[in-house]
Amino acid sequence: MTTAFLRTVILYFILMAGLRLMGKRQIGELEPSELVLTLIISDLAAVPMQDFGIPLVNGLFPIVTLLCLSMLLSFFSLKSIRFRALVCGHPTVIIRDGKVLQQNMARNRFTVDELFEQLRSQGYSDLSSVKYAILETSGQVSVLPYTKASPITPQAVNLDVPDDVTLPVLLINDGHVMSDNLTASGYDQNWLDKQLKTRRLTSPRQVFLMTVDETGTVVCVAKEGAS
């Protein structure tokens, strides 16, 4: 039992490290080569977890080899446009000027049902409002609507509005003070204690989350039941 536990833990962390090397992607955003790699690695990891007759190193070696191969492919993809196109493919226009390009859809084996599902997920139910739709290499569809169907923006109506977009920084995360964030924001523990005191809180442990933005605006959410 101990052997099974240790082998599973080791393989788990090896896989987690490998997936981190692949970057922050969701499954639907993986390139074909990345998806194939993920499926193969998961299958390889399952064998040494279940069969104790296989030395652990024999299970780790092909996994590490595939991860190194993936990093090598990523390196060449960054350096060569042709190699990137060979491995990842090209984006394909499937709607142009509101007209569905049926040959392009057939070439990519992309069905009408899938097209409308992608359009609905982005808030478009009518083909006449879509000027361009591009099938990306990840399988997602990027939609560029006609101007008349686009959401109205201040720029479109020549309105001059102040730039009030700020980036909140997390200072307390579920009772834990993020010291690096606190220092990077130009504040210290004394300032934090004052913020808690004004909200009748005595400890960061009573705070679910606290953020501060560039304007100094603090948002504090106390834990349920905290007083």
Side-chain angles (χ1 to χ4, degrees):
M1 184 65 69
T2 303
T3 302
F5 174 77
L6 291 176
R7 289 166 71 100
T8 301
V9 169
I10 292 172
L11 287 166
Y12 173 79
F13 282 108
I14 291 292
L15 290 176
M16 287 296 295
L19 293 176
R20 286 296 302 271
L21 290 175
M22 291 173 60
K24 298 180 179 179
R25 302 267 195 126
Q26 296 179 0
I27 293 299
E29 298 175 345
L30 293 177
E31 300 289 352
S33 59
E34 296 171 335
L35 180 58
V36 170
L37 175 68
T38 303
L39 294 175
I40 294 177
I41 287 180
S42 63
D43 188 56
L44 287 173
V47 176
M49 283 184 186
Q50 299 172 355
D51 190 349
F52 298 159
I54 300 177
L56 184 58
V57 67
N58 290 356
L60 292 177
F61 182 76
I63 293 175
V64 173
T65 300
L66 286 173
L67 291 175
C68 292
L69 180 60
S70 175
M71 294 178 65
L72 190 62
L73 291 176
S74 298
F75 174 79
F76 284 122
S77 295
L78 289 173
K79 297 296 182 180
S80 172
I81 296 177
R82 291 184 178 180
F83 185 82
R84 187 188 314 141
L86 178 65
V87 174
C88 302
H90 293 283
T92 304
V93 178
I94 54 178
I95 296 179
R96 186 189 302 275
D97 294 327
K99 180 181 178 182
V100 178
L101 304 182
Q102 300 178 33
Q103 291 185 352
N104 288 355
M105 289 186 59
R107 190 178 301 114
N108 289 274
R109 293 174 295 281
F110 199 73
T111 66
V112 173
D113 292 335
E114 291 171 323
L115 173 62
F116 274 94
E117 179 183 350
Q118 293 276 0
L119 293 179
R120 288 194 300 269
S121 68
Q122 299 187 47
Y124 300 98
S125 58
D126 187 358
L127 286 176
S128 63
S129 62
V130 178
K131 185 170 185 178
Y132 296 105
I134 301 95
L135 178 61
E136 307 292 356
T137 56
S138 62
Q140 301 296 316
V141 174
S142 300
V143 179
L144 303 177
Y146 283 99
T147 302
K148 62 182 180 180
S150 301
I152 296 178
T153 63
Q155 184 179 13
V157 294
N158 295 321
L159 285 180
D160 186 14
V161 295
D163 184 6
D164 58 354
V165 177
T166 60
L167 180 63
V169 177
L170 188 62
L171 300 182
I172 299 179
N173 183 357
D174 197 10
H176 300 280
V177 178
M178 314 299 289
S179 300
D180 292 342
N181 291 353
L182 183 65
T183 303
S185 300
Y187 301 105
D188 56 18
Q189 188 64 43
N190 291 331
W191 175 87
L192 184 62
D193 292 339
K194 291 178 181 178
Q195 293 296 322
L196 295 175
K197 187 176 181 180
T198 58
R199 291 165 176 80
R200 298 180 181 178
L201 299 171
T202 59
S203 170
R205 295 188 181 90
Q206 296 175 296
V207 179
F208 182 67
L209 69 87
M210 177 185 284
T211 63
V212 63
D213 60 22
E214 295 98 324
T215 64
T217 301
V218 176
V219 175
C220 181
V221 179
K223 290 186 178 180
E224 294 181 354
S227 58

